[in-house]
Amino acid sequence: MFLAQLGFAGHAHAQAAITMRARVGYDGAYRLAEWFPVVVDIANDGPDVRATLEWRLPGRLDEQVFQRLVDLPRGSRKRVSLNVYTPGFVRNGQLRLLDGSTELLTQDVKLDAIDESVFLIGVASSDPALLNSLSSVQIGNFTSAHISHLAPADIPDSVASMRGLDAIFLHNIDTAALLPSQREALALWTSLGGQLVVSGGPGGQATAAGLGDLLPVRTVGDLAQGSLAPLAALAENAGATLPASTTLSRAEPQPGAEQLPPGSGLLFRQPYGAGFATFTSFDIAALRAWEGEGALWSNVLRQLAPATPGTGAHLSQFSLLDRGVLKLPSLSLPSPWALLLFILAYVLVLGPLNYIVLRRMGRLELAWITVPVVVLVFTAGLYVVGTLLRGGNAQYNQLAIVESSEGQARGHATSFIGFFSPRRENYTLAFPATTQVSSGPNQQFLNAQFEPVVVDEAGAPSVQLLADISSVTTFVAESLVDLPVQVQSSLTAGANGLSGELRNTGQVALDDAVIVRGDTFARLGTLAPGAAAQIANGSLEPNFPNGLGLSQSGVFDRQSMINLLFDRDMLQFGNPNTPASGPDTNSVYLLGWVSQPVLPANVDGQASEQNSLTLYVVRLNS
C-alpha cells in the first residue's frame, strides 16, 4: 500500500511538472479525408519521463488512434509533430500524454472540418490578420474560401499533410530558416497541383531566400519605389484607389515566367509541374485597405484539376485491393466441379461402398464404427486440402501509385497494402521513417483488429494487428520516395494530336508505358533505360482507360486498377465533393509500370518478401 502511494505521488508530481501546448491542423481547420499536422510543445520540469503522446477522437471507436513516443528528461523542452488522419466529420479531438497506462495530461481541441467545396488558403506571415478579406471571395467553382493562419514552424513537413491546402501565401518570414523537409514538401506539393504565392517588398529577400528554383524569378534584389496602379485592371476594378507609391523588390523573371498584368513587373507567375508559383514584387499587405484585393486574388488563383489518381483513391475512401485488383490464389474458391466430386465421393463412400464392404465381410454391425471413421477421414482431408490451398505463410502485397512531374527527383507514393494471414495470429508491421500509415477504408467492418499507429522518436511508424484466418487486412501508407523513373520529353500538341519524342533517362524499364492526354492515349510498350519512343501525329487512340486492355501482372489485375483509378464516377462514390481524378485535357502524362515496391516489407522485425507492383504517373513538360 505504501509503495502504491509512493507511485501515485510520483505520477502526481510528474503531472504538475509537465506542460503541453498544441496547435492542430491549419489554425484549427482540417480537410475532410486528408492528413493534417498536430504540433505539440512539451516542457518537463519534473523527473525524467519516457512518455507517449496520443491523438484520438473521443467517442469514435471506428477511428484510427495515433501515438508518438517522446523522451522527456528533466528540464527538457521539445516540439513534437504528429501527422494524423480522419475520413469523417468531427468537431473535437483529444491529446493525451501517457506514462505507460497512466494519463499525465489531457487536452481537448476543437476542430473545424473543411470539405472539398471550400478553397482552403494557408497564410504564413508575421501579420496575423493578413488576407482575411479573402474569406468572402469565390474562386472557380468553389462555394467559398477559408483562411488559416500558420506560424512558420506549423507549415507541414510532408506533402500528404500539406495536400489539404489549395494555396499557400508566404509573407515576411525567413524561408531559409524552414526545415529542409518543409521546403521539399512545399516544392513537391506545388508540382502536384498546389499554388504558392510569395510576397516581395521590404521582407521579400528573406521570404524568397530558401525557395531557390521554385520561384518564377531568378533573383530578388534591392528595393525601389513603384506604383501599384496596374493592379486595378487585373482586379477588373479600374476605378479603385491604390497607393500612389510603394516599395517594390527588384526581381529578374525566369525564362517563360508570365507577368501580371503584362509588362507591369508586379506579379510573376510560372507553372511548376501541375501547380503554379507566384512572386509579387510588392508587399501583399499593401493591398489591405484596397477594395479590389479580393477580386485580384480570385483572378490570380485558379481551380486546378491535376491527375492525382493515388490521392483520389484515398480521398474516395476505398482500397484498390478490396475492389478485385488483388487476385490471391489463397483467396480463390475451389471450382464447383471439384466440390461436386468431393460431395459425390463422400456420399458414395459413406453409403453404398461402406454397406457393400461390410455386407461381404458379414459384419454390418460395424457400421457404427466405420461411419464415424469415414466422416473423420473426409473432414481431415478437407482440412488438409484447405490448408494447402491457402498456404502456410503470411503474404505481404503492395500496390503503389507514385505521382510526380518531369524533372523532379522525388515523388509522392500512395501504397495500398494488403496483408494476408492463413491463421489467426498477431503481427507487427514496421515502416520507414516519415511514412504516414492509416488503416484501410471501412476497416472496422473486417475481422482484423488494429492497435494504434505508433511512431518512434526517429519518426518510423509501426502497426500491430490481430489477423483472422484467411483474411486480408488493408491499410494505406504515404511517403516521399526517390524516383528511379526519369524521362525527357519533347512533345508538341497539334490539330492531329501529339507528336515528338520521349526518352527514358532513368534507371528502370517501364512496362506497358502509355502517353495519356484526356481520354486518348498512345502505346509505347516497354521503355528500357536509355530508350526513346516516337509519337506521331494521329497515333492517339480513344477510350482511355477502358481501351488499354492490360493483362494481369502476378497477383494484380492492371486493367481493373486503371479503371478504378481513372473512373470519375467510382472515385466520387465515397466522397461526392472529391474532384475528378482523370487526366485533365490540357496536360500530358506518362503512365508506366514497375514490378518493384516503393516501401520495404518488415514483419515482426524481419525483412519480408512481398508481391509488389508500382504505377508511375508523371506529368510531362509539354
Side-chain angles (χ1 to χ4, degrees), residues 531-612:
Q534 302 294 326
I535 297 91
N537 278 323
S539 61
L540 293 180
E541 302 178 38
N543 196 26
F544 175 84
N546 297 316
L548 286 176
L550 299 174
S551 60
Q552 184 167 323
S553 174
V555 298
F556 301 108
D557 189 329
R558 296 187 184 189
Q559 187 61 50
S560 294
M561 175 181 172
I562 285 288
N563 289 345
L564 286 170
L565 287 176
F566 294 97
D567 186 329
R568 291 169 172 81
D569 294 332
M570 178 66 72
L571 287 176
Q572 292 180 320
F573 176 78
N575 182 353
N577 291 317
T578 300
S581 185
D584 54 290
T585 56
N586 296 322
S587 301
V588 181
Y589 292 85
L590 169 69
L591 275 61
W593 306 84
V594 176
S595 296
Q596 295 177 2
V598 297
L599 296 176
N602 187 301
V603 181
D604 293 335
Q606 301 292 327
S608 176
E609 294 184 356
Q610 58 176 308
N611 300 313
S612 62

Side-chain angles (χ1 to χ4, degrees), residues 62-81:
D62 58 340
E63 293 279 3
Q64 185 77 64
V65 175
F66 297 89
Q67 295 180 339
R68 175 128 194 184
L69 304 180
V70 53
D71 191 19
L72 296 172
R74 179 188 292 272
S76 61
R77 303 288 187 271
K78 289 194 174 182
R79 174 165 291 168
V80 182
S81 296

